[in-house]
Amino acid sequence: MHKTILKNYAKLLARVGLNVQKGQEVIIAAELDQPEFVAFVAEECYRAGAARVRVDWSHQPIQRLGAEYRSEEVLSEVPFWREEKLRGELRTLPARLYLDSADPDGLNGIDTEKYARALQARTRILKPYRDKMENKYQWCIAAVAGERWAKKVFPRATGSGIAQDKLWRAILSCSRSLEGNPMENWRRHNADLAARCEYLNSLGLSVLEYESSNGTNLRVGLLRDGVFAAGSERTLSGVEFNPNIPSEEVFTSPMRGEAEGVVYSTKPLSYQGQLIRNFFVRFERGRAVEVHASSGEALLKKVIEMDEGAAYLGECALVPYDSPVNRSRVLFYNTLFDENAACHLAFGRGFTNCVRGYEAFSEEQLHAKGINDSMIHVDFMIGNDDLHIDGVTQTGARYPIFRNGRWAF
Ligand code: ZN
């Protein structure tokens, strides 16, 4: 891939994704296979005035060894220095960039039960820190084309670097960074998403009704003072940033306990390196009470049993069927992309900033208003080209939101 294009993409991540502030610290989490691109991003962060850029390198084969060789007890521990680091970060509030390039199959075959239990134990220790930092710092998840990931997505591409180049193209075109000026493309894209949110938020909807010929028939209740959000967000101190690049979705957190009916998946769900295919979920009083999958059913059941909130919904996201990700016709085996291909729901944690004026409330108050809480947040795709979505208000007024998988307004 051309260096100029990659540098422009790096600039987009530093300036629009993170919007690094003068004097701010930046933490970049990246895989070892991308030193050149990480350096491009680090340079852009310094140009934006970053005081210090730290890179947390990881390497999936070593993560895998850790999962295989360590006992559950050790795997469940959070070393004291990790907590010390977090305490420091609570004071300095660094911006965080997560660069994803890992092999979707890289953890296949590990003991997922052991891994999930250990993750659960670590999350119990780490969650209070995360809760205290929530909405206070800029963060962004974006992708770089890892070699093994590329081979998985383009298995028939032969010759060195060809698959990787194809994956770069797919990533950059979905991220609106292959043509034109990426920063200008995102200014326009963010404006379009903001206008859609404004319209949806003006309607005062209390329910979303989903229907499709594949059998989907679901009613999801919305928060009484909930809002739809999309594209860029703001920290509590008012710094604008884009948490996901790409991002096509207009989303909200639904009302915990108010989902009735059946919903069918329309794309495989890749979870911890494993695929769950062709599944449906039946909801009663907000809770997933029945799931069935043609493959990966046991894993899907494990996902919704992770904790009390895992079987409840945390997100309703609206994504047109003709989004750039879907038009690319690439299955990325990566949620950041695949979730932007179609409408989706998520099991688990909701977004506390989907309540109007959320700044004035505590975490507990926001959860009491109906935002689900869980250690997991797992998206699954339900959009197809004949999905209809209606929005209904408390007084019964009905508005078409989606027709045939696309925006109806
Ligand atoms: Zn989403």
Side-chain angles (χ1 to χ4, degrees):
M1 186 50 59
H2 253 277
K3 278 201 177 135
T4 325
I5 293 176
L6 291 180
K7 283 186 174 171
N8 282 336
Y9 175 55
K11 188 171 177 183
L12 175 78
L13 301 185
R15 302 277 180 159
V16 177
L18 293 183
N19 190 8
V20 175
Q21 301 292 293
K22 285 215 163 44
Q24 192 175 22
E25 281 182 30
V26 179
I27 300 174
I28 303 173
E31 290 273 316
L32 268 183
D33 61 346
Q34 298 294 336
E36 189 185 31
F37 184 72
V38 173
F40 291 163
V41 179
E43 183 164 9
E44 282 299 337
C45 291
Y46 280 124
R47 279 197 184 134
R52 179 185 293 128
V53 179
R54 197 181 89 205
V55 184
D56 272 350
W57 296 105
S58 57
H59 186 46
Q60 204 183 28
I62 290 177
Q63 186 191 353
R64 189 189 169 94
L65 290 172
E68 283 172 350
Y69 280 89
R70 280 184 287 179
S71 68
E72 188 176 326
E73 203 190 335
V74 176
L75 205 52
S76 302
E77 286 168 5
V78 174
F80 76 94
W81 51 262
R82 180 88 196 280
E83 284 191 76
E84 281 304 315
K85 245 166 139 179
L86 280 165
R87 268 193 279 276
E89 288 160 14
L90 259 173
R91 285 200 302 272
T92 56
L93 298 172
R96 287 168 194 270
L97 179 65
Y98 303 91
L99 289 177
D100 200 354
S101 63
D103 178 5
D105 291 336
L107 297 178
N108 274 7
I110 64 163
D111 181 345
T112 46
E113 282 187 40
K114 176 175 110 176
Y115 203 70
R117 282 195 304 268
L119 181 66
Q120 209 166 345
R122 290 200 308 273
T123 307
R124 265 196 294 274
I125 302 166
L126 297 174
K127 194 167 179 291
Y129 295 101
R130 285 186 199 149
D131 286 348
K132 273 185 215 148
M133 271 189 248
E134 192 161 315
N135 304 321
K136 290 184 183 160
Y137 65 97
Q138 317 95 283
W139 53 278
C140 175
I141 308 176
V144 284
E147 195 182 334
R148 286 178 156 279
W149 179 20
K151 289 219 167 96
K152 165 85 180 173
V153 176
F154 299 104
R156 281 192 297 273
T158 48
S160 91
I162 292 187
Q164 213 170 349
D165 199 60
K166 274 173 168 269
L167 183 57
W168 260 127
R169 274 179 184 283
I171 288 171
L172 292 168
S173 87
C174 293
S175 305
R176 298 169 192 264
S177 299
L178 196 56
E179 276 152 23
N181 174 345
M183 305 239 294
E184 174 56 22
N185 296 345
W186 275 80
R187 198 194 53 74
R188 263 184 282 124
H189 181 48
N190 275 330
D192 173 73
L193 291 171
R196 294 194 186 280
C197 289
E198 201 177 297
Y199 172 73
L200 286 168
N201 291 334
S202 73
L203 299 177
L205 302 177
S206 61
V207 172
L208 290 179
E209 291 188 2
Y210 296 80
E211 210 187 294
S212 160
S213 64
N214 67 5
T216 288
N217 195 325
L218 182 72
R219 279 174 65 88
V220 180
L222 299 177
L223 296 166
R224 303 299 165 253
D225 44 4
V227 287
F228 286 87
S232 65
E233 290 185 12
R234 278 175 195 282
T235 63
L236 286 169
S237 57
V239 180
E240 191 175 6
F241 66 102
N242 272 267
N244 287 353
I245 289 182
S247 179
E248 301 292 323
E249 57 176 7
V250 172
F251 64 93
T252 192
S253 260
M255 177 64 116
R256 181 182 159 118
E258 294 187 6
E260 295 294 329
V262 177
V263 67
Y264 281 78
S265 70
T266 52
K267 287 180 191 290
L269 163 60
S270 174
Y271 185 75
Q272 290 183 344
Q274 295 182 65
L275 284 184
I276 303 164
R277 292 182 190 274
N278 305 313
F279 57 96
F280 75 77
V281 186
R282 194 163 62 78
F283 288 92
E284 262 177 35
R285 270 167 287 158
R287 193 163 181 276
V289 291
E290 185 187 353
V291 296
H292 180 75
S294 72
S295 66
E297 185 173 301
L299 180 62
L300 181 56
K301 285 183 174 156
K302 203 141 292 156
V303 170
I304 62 171
E305 285 164 7
M306 282 286 284
D307 59 18
E308 223 274 306
Y312 290 85
L313 292 175
E315 178 184 6
C316 294
L318 308 170
V319 183
Y321 196 70
D322 52 5
S323 76
V325 177
N326 211 29
R327 268 189 283 128
S328 75
R329 293 177 175 280
V330 174
L331 177 60
F332 287 85
Y333 301 95
N334 180 304
T335 305
L336 175 64
F337 289 84
D338 297 330
E339 81 157 349
N340 280 300
C343 284
H344 57 272
L345 301 171
F347 291 117
R349 188 174 57 252
F351 307 115
T352 48
N353 55 0
C354 284
V355 164
R356 202 181 300 275
Y358 72 94
E359 299 92 336
F361 303 102
S362 68
E363 290 282 310
E364 295 73 37
Q365 287 172 316
L366 291 164
H367 291 134
K369 282 173 177 291
I371 294 179
N372 189 32
D373 193 19
S374 166
M375 67 180 68
I376 65 154
H377 177 94
V378 177
D379 296 283
F380 58 100
M381 300 304 116
I382 62 162
N384 60 11
D385 65 354
D386 77 350
L387 179 65
H388 299 326
I389 306 173
D390 275 357
V392 187
T393 67
Q394 209 105 57
T395 57
R398 184 174 282 273
Y399 298 91
I401 308 297
F402 261 57
R403 286 293 175 269
N404 295 311
R406 289 159 183 85
W407 290 113
F409 60 87

